[in-house]
Amino acid sequence: MEKSVIRTEAAPAPFQGAPYSQAIVAGELVFTAGQLGLKPGDTAIEGDITQQTEQALANVQAILEEAGSSMDKLVKSSVFLVDLDDFQAMNAVYAERVGDRPPARSTFQVSKLPSGALVEIEAVAHL
C-alpha cells in the first residue's frame, strides 16, 4: 500500500521542525499527527483548555480537508490532556465539532505536552 504525505499551510508545520508529517493517507484512511492548540504561523500556544481544544480541532479539520476528508468522516481520535480535570471543558468543545456521529475516542492524562500545551488531539478519518 502506498502512502501520501499531506501538508497544508492552514495548520501548523511539524512542531519545531520535527521529522513527521501533518498527516498520511494510506488506502482509504487519513492519519493525522497530534495537533496542539497552536495557530498556524504562531510560535507560542495561548489560551485556556477551551481555546486550545478549539484550535487543535481546527488544525485537525484543516488537515483532513486538505486530504479530501472531513470531520464528519472521523473514525477514531485520541485526546491527550495534561490535566484530566479539563475533561468536561474539552469535551464540550469536542462534542460541538464532531457532530452527532462521533468517532471512537480514547482520552489520556499525560505528564507534559510540547510548549506547555494543555491538549493534543490526533485523528483517523475515512476519505
Side-chain angles (χ1 to χ4, degrees):
M1 175 184 311
E2 290 187 38
K3 70 178 186 180
S4 300
V5 173
I6 301 301
R7 174 74 181 105
T8 179
E9 296 297 321
F15 191 73
Q16 296 179 344
Y20 66 87
S21 298
Q22 288 176 322
I24 295 291
V25 173
E28 295 296 315
L29 297 174
V30 181
F31 299 84
T32 74
Q35 296 299 305
L36 303 175
L38 182 65
K39 294 179 182 176
D42 283 1
T43 57
I45 297 171
E46 298 180 5
D48 61 14
I49 188 64
T50 299
Q51 294 163 316
Q52 288 189 32
T53 301
E54 181 64 42
Q55 186 60 51
L57 288 169
N59 295 339
V60 168
Q61 181 176 348
I63 293 166
L64 291 177
E65 289 174 355
E66 181 69 20
S69 188
S70 61
M71 295 294 279
D72 65 333
K73 294 182 178 180
L74 286 173
V75 294
K76 174 71 170 87
S77 67
S78 297
V79 177
F80 304 93
L81 295 170
V82 171
D83 186 349
L84 211 49
D85 288 341
D86 286 337
F87 181 86
Q88 294 298 335
M90 174 281 298
N91 204 49
V93 173
Y94 184 93
E96 290 178 13
R97 295 298 300 265
V98 298
D100 61 351
R101 295 180 358 171
R105 182 181 83 189
S106 301
T107 303
F108 307 91
Q109 180 170 316
V110 296
S111 63
K112 192 173 182 180
L113 290 168
S115 291
L118 302 174
V119 62
E120 182 172 350
I121 301 172
E122 64 182 21
V124 179
H126 197 273
L127 288 175

